[in-house]
Amino acid sequence: MSAAEQRLPQALAAFGLEGPGISVSRCGTGHINDTFLAEGPGFRRLVQRLNPAVFPHPDEVMANVTSVTHWLRRSIRQSGGDPERETLRFLPTTDGKPYFTDADGAAWRVYVYHDHSLSMETIDSPETFAEAGRAFGRFQRMLDGYPADTLAETIPHFHDTERRLSALFDAVRRDPLGRAQEVGEEIRFAAAREHDCGEALRAWREGRLPLRVTHNDTKLSNVLFDSETRRAVCVIDLDTVMPGFSIFDFGDAIRSGANHCEEDERDLSKVSFDLELYRACAAGFLEGSGGSLTAEEIAFLPWGAKLMTLECGIRFLTDYLEGDTYFRIQRPGQNLDRCRTQFKLVSDMEKNWEQMRLS
Ligand code: GN1
Ligand code: MG
């Protein structure tokens, strides 16, 4: 039994979600937190345990998500939307606290489940992907003007790709499990792109890319679609909302959606970057962001795609070398497989680089 399953009853009780009429099942596909669905007469709640190793300051995470969802609600209401449908609603514990801390020190929070909605691991059509892009673009636009200095940095240096590469080199040097020798090709792939890793950061240091309030984890599965209309209704997983680059919010959507494979596909012949999907998502993102991006940011969007994919591959590889301590795995070698799909997508993007231009 996992730590989360062991403490689940305590957490349910803290939110008043116990009793004979309530059933609970595991759900979600995230690699970090543990998520459960609690269903009772007339209600459904998501009950989530924050991974304490990844989010050591749950108070800051919850303060960020509370205040960001508050801001989003106002913005959605102003544009005539339905805040209950289009953003998250967190519910307090029975004694009025935003989260519950279990006996292991891990934080749990509860939010309202969105009925008639679904999330996707892979995309079924360019139209659906354009919808995802539009949702992330809108998210960007709605948070334009949010006072960034009031947000805590929930995971410092989260998308500092240069640091992510240094962490890989460090893991290779220490090689705690002796796995480095079997992944020479992947290590060389990353090392050959050392200069690329600094591309966005250099542009920011030179004043060409602005720091904004961004989502920072815009994988495809973090958009909820209406199960009937397939319109994007809500962007979820707000734990990493903090200052960042808009090109990375675009880029992570491309990384996770502009292909037809699972993130951990073992057969690399099935993994290929789809330019048509890329263009569909880009058009949606630009439309959703509604003119809030600068010309320079738009010109940099292809870099967002390449860097997010490269960085994610580097992180999976690092974790494989470290012994899979960060990203949850269901089978041995899964983080290495995840790294390989990302690197295959990066090389495809390099081959399509000219066609990826958006300005
Ligand atoms: C993690 O667990 P999930 O799905 O929210 C990770 C992202 C990665 C993603 C890769 C906090 O996201 O950065 O891009 O896995 N989140 C964190 O699938 O590290
Ligand atoms: Mg996440």
Side-chain angles (χ1 to χ4, degrees):
M1 200 190 262
S2 70
E5 277 147 17
Q6 213 173 335
R7 302 298 178 199
L8 179 62
Q10 262 185 22
L12 291 169
F15 288 92
L17 292 171
E18 49 184 355
I22 300 179
S23 66
V24 182
S25 54
R26 199 176 250 284
C27 76
T29 57
H31 305 332
I32 310 288
N33 298 329
D34 292 271
T35 311
F36 302 87
L37 173 64
E39 296 180 86
F43 70 84
R44 283 173 166 173
R45 303 283 181 255
L46 286 167
V47 181
Q48 194 169 49
R49 174 189 184 265
L50 273 175
N51 182 329
V54 174
F55 296 105
H57 304 292
D59 47 336
E60 294 184 353
V61 173
M62 290 313 291
N64 277 6
V65 295
T66 305
S67 124
V68 166
T69 48
H70 198 78
W71 175 282
L72 291 174
R73 276 174 183 279
R74 208 182 43 200
S75 169
I76 292 165
R77 217 176 285 118
Q78 276 165 3
S79 57
D82 173 5
E84 294 307 322
R85 186 97 181 118
E86 295 169 40
T87 190
L88 301 176
R89 176 182 284 284
F90 288 86
L91 300 175
T93 59
T94 51
D95 55 0
K97 308 234 168 62
Y99 64 92
F100 162 73
T101 308
D102 71 19
D104 304 322
W108 293 75
R109 74 283 176 85
V110 164
Y111 48 102
V112 177
Y113 180 86
H114 282 69
D115 283 316
H116 313 296
S117 69
L118 52 87
S119 69
M120 299 183 197
E121 293 297 310
T122 55
I123 210 76
D124 56 5
S125 74
E127 291 73 33
T128 318
F129 201 28
E131 268 295 301
R134 210 169 280 125
F136 288 130
R138 262 196 317 262
F139 189 85
Q140 191 80 88
R141 193 190 60 215
M142 286 193 286
L143 288 175
D144 200 19
Y146 185 100
D149 53 349
T150 60
L151 281 175
E153 214 181 337
T154 47
I155 304 181
H157 310 291
F158 191 53
H159 285 318
D160 182 333
T161 316
E162 289 174 336
R163 256 180 199 255
R164 296 291 189 180
L165 186 67
S166 304
L168 171 64
F169 290 157
D170 182 52
V172 171
R173 260 190 308 274
R174 286 183 291 102
D175 195 17
L177 294 159
R179 290 178 171 177
Q181 49 166 357
E182 51 167 305
V183 294
E185 200 182 318
E186 286 74 19
I187 296 168
R188 281 190 295 279
F189 185 95
R193 286 156 184 79
E194 185 165 10
H195 189 262
D196 288 352
C197 289
E199 195 67 27
L201 290 161
R202 276 191 299 276
W204 167 66
R205 288 183 199 117
E206 290 162 10
R208 291 185 289 131
L209 273 187
L211 208 55
R212 297 179 181 274
V213 174
T214 48
H215 182 283
N216 295 304
D217 190 8
T218 49
K219 62 202 265 190
L220 175 61
S221 55
N222 280 337
V223 182
L224 292 184
F225 294 89
D226 185 290
S227 42
E228 268 163 42
T229 64
R230 295 289 158 125
R231 301 294 298 255
V233 285
C234 180
V235 167
I236 59 170
D237 187 2
L238 306 178
D239 299 332
T240 49
V241 174
M242 55 186 163
F245 301 135
S246 61
I247 64 162
F248 285 170
D249 274 8
F250 170 71
D252 207 32
I254 296 299
R255 171 192 81 75
S256 55
N259 60 69
H260 303 274
C261 62
E262 301 289 334
E263 193 175 65
D264 61 351
E265 174 60 58
R266 274 182 272 202
D267 179 355
L268 288 184
S269 71
K270 293 188 183 151
V271 182
S272 65
F273 172 64
D274 185 324
L275 202 55
E276 190 194 358
L277 287 178
Y278 167 84
R279 289 188 176 132
C281 183
F285 186 78
L286 290 174
E287 192 195 312
S289 59
S292 56
L293 303 184
T294 66
E296 198 112 36
E297 279 176 298
I298 296 172
F300 254 91
L301 288 175
W303 271 109
K306 177 169 164 181
L307 284 172
M308 275 301 88
T309 315
L310 178 61
E311 182 187 286
C312 207
I314 290 172
R315 293 173 64 197
F316 287 140
L317 183 57
T318 307
D319 199 36
Y320 178 69
L321 293 174
E322 298 280 10
D324 310 300
T325 58
Y326 187 93
F327 297 106
R328 183 167 38 233
I329 53 167
Q330 285 82 32
R331 57 176 168 81
Q334 196 172 7
N335 275 322
L336 178 55
D337 294 331
R338 289 171 177 154
C339 157
R340 287 179 171 150
T341 62
Q342 303 307 294
F343 286 178
K344 170 67 171 51
L345 291 171
V346 171
S347 37
D348 281 3
M349 288 178 195
E350 289 172 346
K351 288 182 197 124
N352 284 281
W353 196 241
E354 282 310 307
Q355 290 97 293
M356 283 173 69
R357 261 190 217 280
L358 295 169
S359 57

